[in-house]
Structures are given as structure tokens and as C-alpha cells.
Amino acid sequence: FARLKHFRAIATRFDKLARNYQSMIYIACMLIWCKAK
């Protein structure tokens, strides 16, 4: 969870809609996962 906080849009919750916020979390998780591989 701490790695997700490095993404500014997730840490500050810029998006008003829940689906936009959720998709931003998915993108961040994919980036973190790709860097780990």
C-alpha cells in the first residue's frame, strides 16, 4: 500500500468518480508489478 502512495493522483484522490479512482489504482498496481518483474 505504501508504494501506491507514491502516485500523487492516488494519494490525494483527484478523481471524483469511484470508477476513475479504481482504474487509477489498477494502473498503478500494474506499473508496480511490471517494475518488480
Side-chain angles (χ1 to χ4, degrees):
F1 189 73
R3 290 186 181 180
L4 285 175
K5 290 290 187 174
H6 291 287
F7 293 89
R8 186 173 178 214
I10 295 174
T12 57
R13 179 85 194 252
F14 282 146
D15 298 316
K16 300 293 183 198
L17 297 177
R19 67 182 166 94
N20 291 347
Y21 185 69
Q22 184 178 13
S23 57
M24 197 58 197
I25 291 176
Y26 285 151
I27 291 171
C29 287
M30 286 189 312
L31 289 174
I32 292 170
W33 183 73
C34 286
K35 285 183 181 180
K37 288 276 177 175

